[in-house]
Structure formats: structure tokens, C-alpha cells
Amino acid sequence: MPAEDDPDAVDDATAPDDSLAWETLDAEVVYSCPGFDVVNEDVQMADGAETEFDYVSEPESVVVLPFTSDGDVVVIEEWRQAVSRVSRGLPVGGVEPDDEHLDAAARRELAEETGYEAETVDHLTTVEPANGIADSVLHYFVARGCTPTAEQELDHNESIRPETTTFDALRDAVAADEVRDGRTVLAVLYYDAFGPDE
């Protein structure tokens, strides 16, 4: 999804003539699977030396902090095979070609993962969570007036249980190191520090 589709998205691409810039000489996808590719590049670094660089490439994603009309937060519990446990967090998913705008992707992911639909969806922030090893971009949204009026439509490899909690309880769980999902931690702390006043 192009950055221009979201007026709040920031494009911090470094100018090609920056003295720190590397030049990409060649690139190929060396591994591909549903969800991401691994890209290998031949690069020339700023000092003229040539080397290889590998990184994970994946579609842009949306992270949704959903509030019900009562002010509770809709959270999910999801099995995470990479860490072999259930993880508590927020709805997250990749932007798809049919999504007209990033907020449409946020609405779709919220409904698919939780069965909740939002009255309003507003952009919160955009980050690159691991730009030393991946081209991942996360667009954060706050959804309000969420009600359970849809059906979950989970992907074949998703095991998700939605529930609700208070924002204070979720923030306390983050502070107590009980929420390990970094996307959720950032959403909660960013909203707590910079989110709009009620």
C-alpha cells in the first residue's frame, strides 16, 4: 500500500546521494513462503566495499487498537508456533490488494480476527519495527465503537480467541511484562503517551 494512501504515513527514504547510502547492484528472492520472502542483495557500501545483504520482505501491515462503546479493549489470544505458546495481543494483519485504503485494511483485519466491527478508525502512527533485517512497515490504528456484529474469518493457520479487557488492565499487563508481543506493547504505550484525549 503506497504511503500516499495515508496522509499520516511518513516516507523517510534516504536520498540516493546521501553519503551513507549503499548501492544495490543485484537482488533476488532466495526463499519465498506465504507471508514473506527472503531477499539477497549484492550491494556496494558507502566506502566502496562490496558485500551481500539479506533481509525479510513482507507486505505492509495494520495493527488495530479496538475500543468498544463501553471503552473496553478487544484483545486476542493466539497460538504462536515460533515461541510455542499462546500470545495475548491486538489484531494484526497484512494489507491486501483489494484494500482501497489502510483504514479499510484495519477494519477488515479487526472483523476477520475478532468478529468486531468499528464505527470509526483513525490512524495513530506508522513504524518500521526491525529495519535492520526487514522492510516491514506497521500502520497503527485506533478503532472505536466496536461491536461483535461480524463473524470471525480466520486464515487456515490462525487459532484466535477474542476477549475484552480494560485499557488500564492491558497497560498494567504490559508494565508487568505479561504481554510479550512487541506490536501490542508499542500500541498501548504509544496510545497512552500520545493518543487522543477522550
Side-chain angles (χ1 to χ4, degrees):
M1 181 69 59
E4 58 266 20
D5 286 348
D6 181 358
D8 294 317
V10 177
D11 183 7
D12 282 334
T14 302
D17 60 351
D18 190 294
S19 63
L20 296 177
W22 294 6
E23 180 183 355
T24 301
L25 306 174
D26 193 21
E28 66 173 327
V29 174
V30 295
Y31 176 78
S32 185
C33 68
F36 66 89
D37 296 329
V38 176
V39 178
N40 172 263
E41 293 185 342
D42 294 325
V43 298
Q44 183 177 55
M45 297 185 294
D47 64 1
E50 295 185 9
T51 189
E52 293 185 19
F53 182 77
D54 299 304
Y55 65 93
V56 173
S57 181
E58 63 178 356
E60 296 181 35
S61 294
V62 290
V63 182
V64 187
L65 177 59
F67 289 91
T68 67
S69 56
D70 294 331
D72 287 340
V73 180
V74 182
V75 296
I76 62 173
E77 293 185 340
E78 181 173 9
W79 178 258
R80 290 300 189 185
Q81 182 63 23
V83 291
S84 299
R85 60 177 165 75
V86 172
S87 176
R88 194 162 195 238
L90 297 174
V92 178
V95 176
E96 297 181 357
D98 290 342
D99 295 326
E100 294 183 5
H101 301 285
L102 291 170
D103 62 349
R107 288 178 180 277
R108 176 184 52 73
E109 282 296 332
L110 173 64
E112 288 179 356
E113 293 195 357
T114 69
Y116 280 75
E117 295 179 296
E119 288 182 4
T120 63
V121 175
D122 297 301
H123 182 252
L124 182 63
T125 190
T126 295
V127 302
E128 297 170 352
N131 61 17
I133 59 169
D135 64 5
S136 310
V137 177
L138 300 177
H139 302 281
Y140 285 76
F141 287 87
V142 177
R144 297 195 182 280
C146 297
T147 54
T149 53
E151 295 289 331
Q152 273 184 301
E153 295 183 27
L154 301 178
D155 293 339
H156 75 281
N157 60 353
E158 289 181 320
S159 301
I160 294 176
R161 178 174 53 237
E163 60 178 38
T164 59
T165 187
T166 66
F167 182 80
D168 287 347
L170 183 58
R171 184 185 56 215
D172 290 348
V174 168
D177 206 20
E178 297 169 0
V179 176
R180 303 298 296 275
D181 178 68
R183 299 163 301 183
T184 299
V185 171
L186 176 60
V188 170
L189 297 182
Y190 192 97
Y191 182 84
D192 194 43
F194 306 114
D197 294 331
E198 294 289 337

